[in-house]
């Protein structure tokens, strides 16, 4: 009997104006959104590829181990088309160097801060806003509408149990609503599949599948909410009003108000304070460490050294005196360990600040969970990997990579004790450099000096020109893991809550419907 | 007769459930917004005064010698505005720290308490409530204004009388406007009462007029939705289908179109990355250094035999000019990019209304742009002040330029070493635009809103005249 009711309902639904309009709108919106978002993604991908290529090119030219300070980039995720999340707000790169520890940061410094007045745009917007509205428009008159027409009385006069009727309604409603969702997905995926530069991997397909399932759960939750309103009111106009006001509150009021509330309840320290704190603690470190460092270095006799611009905007030494080598071999490890100390100190403060930001965000999310639409948004961004945790994976990967790079440099330079760490100058060249400069210096008369200088200049330019790059074939590559399962795990709580809403509102509408007065006036 | 129709409309609406629910929702939103504003404004004012006083005391420390003013770097912050209760303009994510010396200024930065991990959100200010919630309520009130009456059969009765159709339409329109006015005005009152009661802000006469203008703008905006409700309602014969159409139109205009802003801005107005701009500055400065000879002998040297202060002044001024030209251009490009996004999303009345209210309230992107202009003028007046004070000192070389080092500042005597009276030094103060000026800026937006109104009125008039009431 449930099946029969569902079938009639379904046929009735399919013939309605709202179904036609809703499906067309969903498909059309998808067809408009998808190309725009895809072209935006392609642009980001192109930038990413350029950055990576430029970084590799510089890396191939590195001449001394000290200069290995590459930048690693996070590949823009295809699924940010479905849920933008924090994709464009957080930084997509991390510098691997002694002076800083990779940390989640914002792109605003590289981007235009004035663009923050615009909201984000992704495919989930269609589902969050248009589809949720459509669902409520289907559900609001499921019961109260039938009562108004008098058909409810007729049905109830038969032997049919009430829950059969309710279940039939739910099945029919969900099947009807699956049509626009599925069609929108198909259209979107077709556009995505046939766009150049976009290739979807197996894990992407798995994520898209999960997003589809999540969307269905969300729709059924909204349908049950609508059904409850329908079973609460006697007139369909009243249930429509209740449903629409519920919608506007959960789509607009709660997401905005929760964030405003969180920023008020848990105010942050101002960025200015954090930065001055960092500056002062670095100054303290400098004051306490620097003198010790110079003291250790004081015993060396210095010689001359020629600095040249190496890779990544850093300098290296091409030619130097034998005596200078000793000094430099002591100096660089000291300087680098000081840099690491500063970086760790900065990271400590930044990390504390980031934790405050996180706490505020968590509070905002907690409050916004009243709204099923926020729950759905969380599910989408967790599965797409555009949420904070997705970025954390990248940053953690960058941190590990930083250690790998340091380790690599250590093994290659005998724990920083070889001159190849900072120079490519061979023993012979050192000797020759010193000899030739001495010849210039010790020349007895002007003519001899001129001659020596000329010879020196020629030798100098010949030597400088020929400087082999390190090659770095065996430098470990950067990679980080972010699996579908971990995304699902992060989404689990919100998905569970959505399912709970399903069950709760189903139960409530069942109770309301059992007590429903089917007589029409 | 028209009065009767209006009266009937209002009474009917007042007794309906939708009116009660909307009243509760709107008033509670306004009240919440008021309370949140009070808390936020208090905190922001404290921050602002703390930062401003720090800046003033650092300025005071630089008044021992006149030349120190030349090297003094000032940091000013955006002043929290009382009118941000009306429109906040997403200022919590906009740059708020402006650092400058008399010659150069940095690009404005976001350095307040904002959290970059939070997605885009709006304060619960008036513009938020009105543009999103009250406009929605306006649709709920009017979606069945004509087809609903047709369904109940009363439209036939009304038109059987001698009243012309346009009077019925006008009556319905005014009735709906007055009905929506009740929750709107009471909400505004409550929000203002909260603010005044907590003495969070001082609102002066000029600001009261601005508030009044924003209220009028709100009515102009809501009238668009009421007219479109009547229009769609007079196109369809069933309230259910007119509701579906209206809701989709509303979602499109108020939510979807504004979301395209960022992508459109990024696609149609590309700007170079900040790093490129910094490289260009470095290149320009390098170029000037290369051409250093043309400023005179010894332009680049200090603390040596060849020192030539007049040539150095020319050289460093050329550097500053080159840097400023590139930086100003970049700032303009950034602003233009944001404006482009706004222009394209202006198909939506919500964006037009938002922009007009922001202009009147003096907040948002254009306010930051204006603040940058004011800082530029202040730099000029500061230089003018230094020049005029310096002119009285016979020992000084009267060369005003950005000193490359402390040594130059102290030893060259390019600018007088006399003591300065701190009170006579011009101090930066952000000036609000007067109502007339901001109205002039918002005139296009107001005109557009009026145009929307006229268009919707005309089409709903025509479609109602042709409406089949049977």
């Amino acid at each position: 009997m449930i099946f029969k009711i569902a079938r009639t309902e379904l046929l009735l639904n399919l013939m309605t104006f709202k179904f036609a309009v809703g499906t067309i709108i969903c498909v059309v919106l998808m067809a408009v959104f998808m190309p725009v978002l895809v072209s935006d993604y392609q642009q980001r991908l192109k930038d990413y590829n350029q950055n990576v290529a430029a970084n590799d090119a510089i890396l191939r030219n590195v001449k001394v181990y000290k200069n290995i300070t590459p930048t690693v980039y996070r590949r823009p995720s295809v699924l940010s088309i479905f849920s933008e999340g924090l994709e464009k707000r957080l930084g997509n790169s991390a510098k691997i160097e002694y002076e800083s520890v990779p940390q989640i940061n914002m792109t605003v410094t590289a981007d235009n801060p004035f663009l923050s007045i615009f909201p984000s745009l992704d495919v989930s917007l269609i589902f969050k806003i248009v589809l949720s509205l459509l669902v409520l428009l289907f559900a609001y008159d499921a019961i109260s509408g039938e009562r108004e027409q008098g058909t409810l009385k007729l049905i109830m006069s038969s032997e049919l149990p009430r829950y059969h009727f309710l279940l039939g309604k739910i099945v029919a409603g969900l099947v009807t609503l699956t049509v626009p969702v599925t069609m929108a997905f198909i259209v979107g995926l077709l556009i995505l599949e046939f766009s150049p530069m976009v290739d979807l991997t197996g894990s992407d397909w798995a994520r898209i599948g999960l997003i589809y399932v999540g969307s269905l759960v969300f729709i059924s939750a909204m349908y049950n909410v609508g059904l409850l309103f329908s079973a609460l009111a006697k007139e369909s106009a009243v249930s429509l009003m209740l449903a629409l006001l519920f919608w506007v509150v959960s789509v607009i009021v709660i997401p905005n108000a929760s964030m405003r509330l969180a920023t008020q309840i848990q105010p942050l320290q101002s960025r200015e304070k954090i930065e001055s704190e960092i500056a002062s603690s670095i100054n303290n470190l400098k004051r306490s460490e620097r003198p010790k460092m110079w003291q250790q270095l004081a015993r060396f006799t210095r010689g001359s050294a020629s600095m040249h611009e190496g890779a990544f905007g850093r300098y290296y030494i091409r030619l130097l005196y034998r005596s200078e080598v000793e000094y430099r071999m002591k100096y660089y490890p000291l300087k680098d360990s000081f840099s690491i100390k500063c970086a760790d100190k900065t990271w400590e403060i930044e990390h504390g600040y980031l934790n405050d930001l996180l706490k505020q965000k968590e509070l905002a999310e907690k409050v916004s969970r009243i709204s099923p639409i926020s729950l759905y948004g969380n599910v989408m961004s967790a599965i797409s990997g555009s949420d904070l945790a997705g970025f954390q994976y990248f940053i953690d990967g960058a941190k590990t990579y930083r250690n790998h790079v340091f380790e690599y440099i250590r093994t290659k330079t005998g724990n920083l004790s070889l001159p190849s760490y900072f120079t490519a100058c061979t023993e012979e060249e050192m000797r020759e450099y010193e000899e030739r400069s001495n010849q210039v210096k010790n020349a007895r008369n002007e003519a001899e000096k001129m001659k020596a200088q000329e010879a020196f200049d020629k030798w100098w330019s010949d030597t400088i020109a020929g400087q082999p790059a390190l090659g770095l074939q065996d430098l470990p590559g950067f990679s980080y893991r972010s699996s579908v399962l971990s995304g699902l795990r992060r989404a689990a709580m919100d998905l569970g809550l959505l399912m709970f809403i399903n069950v709760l509102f189903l139960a409530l509408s069942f109770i309301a419907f059992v007590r429903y007065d089917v007589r029409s006036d | 007769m028209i009065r009767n129709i209006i009266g009937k409309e209002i009474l009917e609406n007042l007794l309906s459930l939708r009116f009660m629910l909307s009243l509760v929702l709107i008033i509670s939103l306004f009240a919440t917004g008021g309370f949140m504003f009070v808390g936020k404004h208090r905190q922001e004012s404290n921050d602002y005064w703390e930062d401003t006083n720090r800046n003033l005391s650092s300025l005071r420390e630089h008044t021992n010698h006149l030349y120190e003013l030349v090297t003094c770097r000032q940091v000013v912050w955006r002043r929290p505005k009382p009118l941000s209760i009306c429109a906040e303009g997403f200022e919590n994510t906009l740059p708020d720290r402006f650092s400058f010396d008399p010659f150069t200024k940095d690009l404005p930065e976001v350095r307040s308490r904002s959290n970059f991990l939070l997605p885009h959100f709006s304060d619960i200010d008036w513009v938020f409530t009105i543009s999103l919630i009250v406009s929605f309520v306006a649709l709920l009130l009017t979606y069945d204004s004509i087809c609903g009456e047709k369904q109940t059969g009363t439209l036939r009765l009304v038109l059987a009388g001698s009243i012309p159709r346009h009077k019925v339409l006008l009556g319905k329109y005014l009735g709906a406007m007055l009905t929506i006015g009740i929750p709107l005005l009471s909400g505004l009152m409550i929000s203002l009462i909260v603010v005044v009661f907590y003495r969070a802000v001082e609102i002066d006469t000029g600001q009261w007029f601005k508030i009044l203008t924003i209220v009028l703008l709100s009515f102009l905006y809501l009238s668009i939705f009421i007219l479109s409700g009547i229009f769609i309602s007079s196109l369809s014969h069933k309230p259910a289908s007119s509701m579906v159409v209206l809701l989709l139109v509303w979602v499109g205009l108020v939510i979807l179109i504004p979301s395209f802003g960022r992508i459109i801005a990024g696609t149609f107005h590309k700007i170079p990355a900040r790093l490129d701009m910094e490289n260009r500055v470095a290149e320009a400065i390098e170029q000037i250094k290369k051409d250093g000879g043309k400023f005179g002998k010894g332009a680049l040297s200090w603390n040596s035999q060849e020192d030539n202060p007049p040539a150095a002044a020319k050289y460093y001024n050329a550097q500053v000019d080159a840097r400023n030209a590139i930086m100003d251009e970049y700032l303009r490009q950034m602003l233009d990019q944001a404006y482009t996004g706004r222009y394209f999303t202006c198909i939506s009345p919500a964006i037009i209304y938002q922009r007009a209210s922001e202009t009147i309230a003096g907040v948002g992107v254009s306010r930051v742009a204006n603040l940058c202009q004011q800082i530029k003028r202040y730099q000029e007046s500061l230089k003018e002040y230094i020049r005029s004070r310096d002119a009285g000192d016979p020992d000084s070389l009267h060369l005003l330029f950005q000193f490359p080092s402390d040594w130059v500042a102290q030893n060259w005597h390019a600018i007088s070493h006399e003591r300065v009276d701190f009170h006579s030094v011009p101090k930066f103060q952000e000036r609000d635009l007067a109502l007339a000026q901001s109205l002039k800026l918002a005139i296009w937006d107001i005109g557009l809103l009026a145009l929307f109104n006229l268009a919707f009125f005309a089409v709903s008039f025509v479609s109602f005249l042709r409406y089949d009431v049977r």
Side-chain angles (χ1 to χ4, degrees):
Chain A
M1 196 60 202
I2 296 180
F3 175 70
K4 234 183 210 168
I5 292 181
R7 196 169 156 271
T8 346
E9 255 326 287
L10 183 64
L11 291 178
L12 279 175
N13 275 343
L14 292 182
M15 301 294 287
T16 49
F17 174 68
K18 53 194 172 192
F19 176 76
V21 171
T23 313
I24 293 172
I25 293 275
C26 278
V27 170
V28 167
L29 280 180
M30 192 57 117
V32 172
F33 272 48
M34 213 41 161
V36 175
L37 290 164
V38 166
S39 79
D40 178 62
Y41 167 71
Q42 285 167 335
Q43 184 59 45
R44 283 185 287 140
L45 196 64
K46 224 195 275 167
D47 290 347
Y48 164 78
N49 285 336
Q50 268 172 9
N51 285 335
V52 170
N55 185 61
D56 283 350
I58 301 177
L59 208 53
R60 271 198 296 281
N61 264 325
V62 167
K63 301 205 166 77
V64 297
Y65 287 100
K66 187 172 82 73
N67 285 355
I68 305 180
T69 52
T71 305
V72 291
Y73 295 92
R74 178 180 179 272
R75 193 188 165 85
S77 119
V78 191
L79 290 160
S80 63
I81 293 173
F82 286 90
S83 170
E84 191 183 290
L86 294 164
E87 184 86 11
K88 289 178 195 163
R89 300 184 70 83
L90 297 187
N92 278 322
S93 64
K95 187 116 178 101
I96 306 296
E97 57 182 3
Y98 286 121
E99 287 85 351
S100 64
V101 182
Q103 175 78 289
I104 285 184
N105 59 351
M106 60 176 158
T107 48
V108 174
T109 42
D111 205 338
N112 180 353
F114 296 108
L115 290 187
S116 64
I117 56 170
F118 300 116
S120 63
L121 176 77
D122 52 29
V123 167
S124 75
L125 201 64
I126 304 179
F127 297 117
K128 271 199 278 199
I129 300 203
V130 182
L131 210 70
S132 63
L133 191 60
L134 195 68
V135 173
L136 289 178
L137 286 181
F138 267 102
Y140 84 92
D141 61 353
I143 293 164
S144 51
E146 293 245 11
R147 191 199 68 97
E148 269 177 338
Q149 287 171 3
T151 41
L152 192 58
K153 217 158 66 180
L154 277 181
I155 297 172
M156 288 299 125
S157 60
S158 71
E159 280 169 18
L160 183 77
R162 286 200 175 191
Y163 74 90
H164 274 199
F165 176 75
L166 198 66
L167 285 180
K169 279 275 181 195
I170 290 174
V171 171
L174 291 184
V175 172
T176 321
L177 289 162
T178 314
V179 177
V181 181
T182 314
M183 279 175 72
F185 258 90
I186 291 174
V187 170
L189 287 177
L190 279 178
I191 298 175
L192 197 61
E193 188 61 30
F194 287 108
S195 331
M197 279 174 75
V198 178
D199 47 0
L200 298 168
T201 59
S203 96
D204 288 335
W205 282 110
R207 284 167 197 261
I208 291 174
L210 284 174
I211 286 176
Y212 179 69
V213 173
S215 306
L216 291 185
V217 174
F218 167 64
I219 283 171
S220 113
M222 289 303 276
Y223 190 80
N224 284 324
V225 172
L227 211 58
L228 175 64
F229 287 130
S230 187
L232 281 179
K234 293 192 91 180
E235 289 154 45
S236 60
V238 175
S239 51
L240 178 66
M241 285 308 133
L242 289 173
L244 287 180
L245 288 172
F246 167 80
W247 180 81
V248 88
V249 168
S250 50
V251 166
I252 293 169
V253 178
I254 293 176
N256 284 295
S258 62
M259 283 187 246
R260 187 75 206 89
L261 203 68
T263 53
Q264 196 119 5
I265 295 177
Q266 233 165 39
L268 295 168
Q269 274 195 308
S270 78
R271 184 72 207 151
E272 180 82 356
K273 282 222 176 79
I274 299 294
E275 279 180 20
S276 62
E277 200 179 314
I278 290 175
S280 75
S281 60
I282 295 291
N283 270 337
N284 282 343
L285 262 182
K286 273 186 187 162
R287 224 171 293 138
S288 64
E289 300 273 324
R290 279 267 175 88
K292 271 191 260 167
M293 188 169 134
W294 293 124
Q295 216 170 14
Q296 288 185 29
L297 293 168
R299 62 190 170 88
F300 290 98
T301 40
R302 304 280 308 266
S304 87
S306 75
M307 302 288 246
H308 295 267
E309 200 172 326
F312 302 110
R314 292 179 184 242
Y315 290 85
Y316 75 100
I317 300 171
R318 178 63 192 94
L319 289 170
L320 75 176
Y321 284 14
R322 189 76 200 85
S323 54
E324 180 73 4
V325 173
E326 300 296 325
Y327 167 77
R328 294 278 167 181
M329 261 153 69
K330 185 82 188 160
Y331 168 71
Y332 282 120
L334 279 176
K335 183 178 164 253
D336 289 340
S337 75
F338 175 68
S339 294
I340 290 178
K341 238 179 228 170
C342 287
D344 287 345
K345 188 79 208 163
T346 311
W347 184 81
E348 207 175 282
I349 299 171
E350 284 278 8
H351 195 68
Y353 176 64
L354 197 70
N355 272 339
D356 287 351
L357 295 183
L358 267 176
K359 263 186 220 144
Q360 197 181 58
K361 185 182 165 64
E362 269 164 22
L363 179 67
E365 271 174 6
K366 251 182 226 157
V367 178
S368 73
R369 286 208 167 97
I370 317 166
S371 151
I373 283 144
S374 298
L375 288 177
Y376 175 62
N378 292 348
V379 171
M380 291 288 268
S381 63
I383 294 178
S384 312
S386 60
D387 60 343
L388 190 65
F391 276 83
Q392 195 60 53
Y393 279 118
F394 167 68
I395 293 295
D396 290 345
K399 264 189 221 158
T400 326
Y401 183 62
R402 183 171 177 255
N403 292 335
H404 285 326
V405 170
F406 291 173
E407 196 54 43
Y408 173 81
I409 296 175
R410 285 232 163 79
T411 51
K412 286 282 168 182
T413 59
N415 211 3
L416 310 187
S417 63
L418 296 177
S420 63
Y421 178 54
F422 53 85
T423 182
C425 192
T426 57
E427 290 281 335
E428 252 164 65
E429 282 170 336
M430 283 178 208
R431 216 173 309 124
E432 202 169 353
Y433 181 41
E434 209 161 342
E435 256 167 42
R436 282 175 186 267
S437 338
N438 283 341
Q439 273 173 17
V440 177
K441 235 182 272 171
N442 303 336
R444 268 163 301 179
N445 54 37
E446 270 312 297
E448 204 169 286
K449 190 171 188 171
M450 278 271 270
K451 216 178 131 200
Q453 181 72 47
E454 218 166 80
F456 177 82
D457 286 347
K458 188 173 180 323
W459 173 80
W460 170 269
S461 53
D462 285 353
T463 326
I464 299 263
Q467 161 78 61
L470 286 175
L472 300 176
Q473 255 77 27
D474 48 351
L475 182 75
F478 171 67
S479 68
Y480 70 99
R481 277 175 52 78
S482 129
S483 69
V484 182
L485 268 183
S486 70
L488 192 61
R489 207 172 305 135
R490 297 197 302 273
M493 168 161 177
D494 291 309
L495 204 58
L497 277 173
L498 271 183
M499 286 180 184
F500 174 70
I501 289 182
N502 262 307
V503 176
L504 177 73
F505 278 86
L506 180 63
L508 286 177
S509 44
F510 178 71
I511 295 169
F513 184 54
V514 167
R515 301 156 52 95
Y516 197 69
D517 183 358
V518 296
R519 287 165 302 174
S520 48
D521 21 46
Chain B
M1 192 59 207
I2 199 164
R3 198 171 295 164
N4 286 348
I5 296 178
I6 297 174
K8 173 230 136 201
E9 282 292 320
I10 294 177
L11 285 180
E12 202 177 81
N13 278 333
L14 286 189
L15 293 173
S16 65
L17 174 82
R18 53 188 168 190
F19 178 78
M20 286 319 291
L21 288 175
S22 328
L23 187 73
V24 172
L25 178 66
I26 292 173
I27 288 186
S28 51
L29 271 178
F30 272 113
T32 325
F35 282 114
M36 283 185 169
F37 170 77
V38 170
K40 183 184 141 192
H41 190 79
R42 231 174 239 162
Q43 188 191 49
E44 283 184 347
S45 304
N46 284 343
D47 285 354
Y48 172 74
W49 284 114
E50 200 180 297
D51 292 325
T52 306
N53 287 335
R54 196 177 320 124
N55 182 48
L56 284 180
S57 61
S58 103
L59 185 66
R60 186 192 285 273
E61 282 164 18
H62 282 84
T63 51
N64 288 333
H65 307 286
L66 184 60
Y67 74 83
E68 284 179 22
L69 272 184
V70 181
T71 57
C72 173
R73 191 151 199 95
Q74 297 196 48
V75 178
V76 300
W77 294 74
R78 232 175 33 211
R79 187 161 54 83
K81 289 205 173 178
L83 287 194
S84 59
I85 189 175
C86 310
E88 179 255 356
F90 304 107
E91 281 197 338
N92 48 18
T93 49
L94 288 180
D96 49 7
R97 179 186 188 269
F98 305 81
S99 155
F100 61 92
D101 64 19
F103 297 93
T104 52
K105 57 180 195 293
D106 293 347
L107 287 174
E109 287 175 280
V110 191
R111 293 285 277 274
S112 60
R113 298 168 186 267
S114 73
N115 183 348
F116 63 86
L117 295 181
L118 291 180
H120 172 92
F121 70 98
S122 167
D123 263 9
I124 315 273
D125 53 15
W126 293 4
V127 167
F128 168 82
T129 313
I130 291 167
S131 73
L132 295 169
I133 309 295
V134 187
S135 70
F136 190 75
V137 168
L139 293 189
L140 294 189
L141 286 179
T142 52
Y143 79 101
D144 60 351
S145 60
I146 287 164
C147 51
E149 284 228 31
K150 178 185 156 164
Q151 233 181 14
T152 48
T154 43
L155 193 59
R156 248 154 85 179
L157 279 180
V158 174
L159 292 181
S162 58
I163 330 161
R165 284 199 180 192
H166 70 265
K167 280 198 176 163
V168 177
L169 189 72
L170 215 58
K172 283 200 167 287
Y173 167 67
L174 291 177
M177 281 301 275
L178 289 175
T179 319
I180 200 104
I182 295 168
L184 180 62
L185 288 178
S186 40
L188 293 176
M189 281 299 162
I190 285 173
S191 153
L192 281 176
I193 286 170
V194 169
V195 171
V196 172
F197 180 76
Y198 276 93
R199 292 166 202 259
V201 289
E202 309 255 311
I203 302 177
D204 59 31
T205 332
Q207 282 165 342
W208 279 115
F209 276 112
K210 282 186 182 175
I211 289 177
L212 194 68
T213 318
I214 290 173
V215 173
L216 292 179
L217 263 178
S218 308
F219 275 103
L220 200 59
Y221 169 71
L222 290 174
S223 141
I224 294 175
F225 284 91
I226 284 181
L227 283 171
S228 64
I230 293 176
F231 170 55
I232 302 287
S233 160
S234 71
L235 278 184
S236 63
H237 295 275
K238 271 187 282 174
S241 44
S242 107
M243 185 85 229
V244 173
V245 173
L246 274 176
L247 284 177
L248 291 174
V249 168
W250 182 85
V251 163
L253 285 183
V254 175
I255 300 181
L256 295 184
I257 291 179
S259 304
F260 275 92
R262 179 190 282 256
I263 279 196
I264 285 173
T267 320
F268 290 98
H269 198 293
K270 289 204 170 63
I271 62 169
R274 185 170 288 207
L275 206 62
D276 293 342
M277 186 272 296
E278 280 161 6
N279 287 341
R280 270 180 58 210
V281 170
E283 269 168 32
I285 287 180
E286 196 58 33
Q287 188 59 40
I288 291 172
K289 198 171 175 183
K290 252 184 225 160
D291 304 343
K294 77 176 182 196
F295 298 101
K297 213 164 172 270
L300 275 73
S301 84
W302 32 275
N303 200 8
S304 79
Q305 299 296 319
E306 294 173 359
D307 279 5
N308 182 359
K314 266 188 235 154
Y315 167 68
Y316 288 111
N317 277 332
Q319 265 193 3
V320 162
D321 288 345
R323 180 172 185 271
N324 280 348
I326 296 172
M327 298 274 275
D328 286 351
E329 169 67 16
Y330 190 69
L331 181 65
R332 202 185 54 78
Q333 279 180 337
M334 289 206 294
L335 286 166
D336 276 353
Q337 193 180 34
Y339 291 147
T340 311
R342 273 259 165 121
Y343 282 135
F344 274 89
T345 48
C346 263
I347 324 161
S348 153
I351 292 288
I352 304 175
Y353 166 65
Q354 206 176 47
R355 197 167 66 177
S357 322
E358 280 175 15
T359 314
I360 303 283
V363 294
V365 177
S366 49
R367 181 255 180 119
V368 177
N370 186 267
L371 196 54
C372 290
Q373 293 293 329
Q374 291 189 20
I375 288 175
K376 215 170 171 183
R377 281 200 292 276
Y378 171 70
Q379 286 176 311
E380 286 309 316
S381 70
L382 199 59
K383 274 193 265 186
E384 202 43 56
Y385 169 81
I386 295 172
R387 268 194 211 103
S388 68
R389 286 295 309 254
D390 184 55
D393 184 3
D395 293 338
S396 156
L397 294 172
H398 307 303
L399 291 172
L400 182 58
F401 62 99
Q402 197 179 28
F403 302 136
S405 73
D406 288 347
W407 187 89
V408 170
Q410 285 157 14
N411 293 314
W412 270 7
H413 230 290
I415 289 292
S416 163
H417 283 211
E418 277 173 15
R419 208 186 155 73
V420 195
D421 179 19
F422 175 67
H423 299 288
S424 70
V425 179
K427 279 137 206 124
F428 181 75
Q429 185 128 45
E430 187 187 348
R431 279 195 190 80
D432 289 346
L433 290 180
L435 179 62
Q437 280 167 304
S438 24
L439 267 180
K440 209 188 277 172
L441 289 177
I443 198 76
W444 278 105
D445 289 334
I446 298 173
L448 273 176
L449 284 180
L451 203 68
F452 264 106
N453 268 304
L454 273 181
F456 273 112
F457 189 78
V459 285
S460 47
F461 184 67
V462 172
S463 88
F464 185 55
L465 281 190
R466 299 158 53 94
Y467 194 65
D468 184 358
V469 295
R470 287 166 302 175

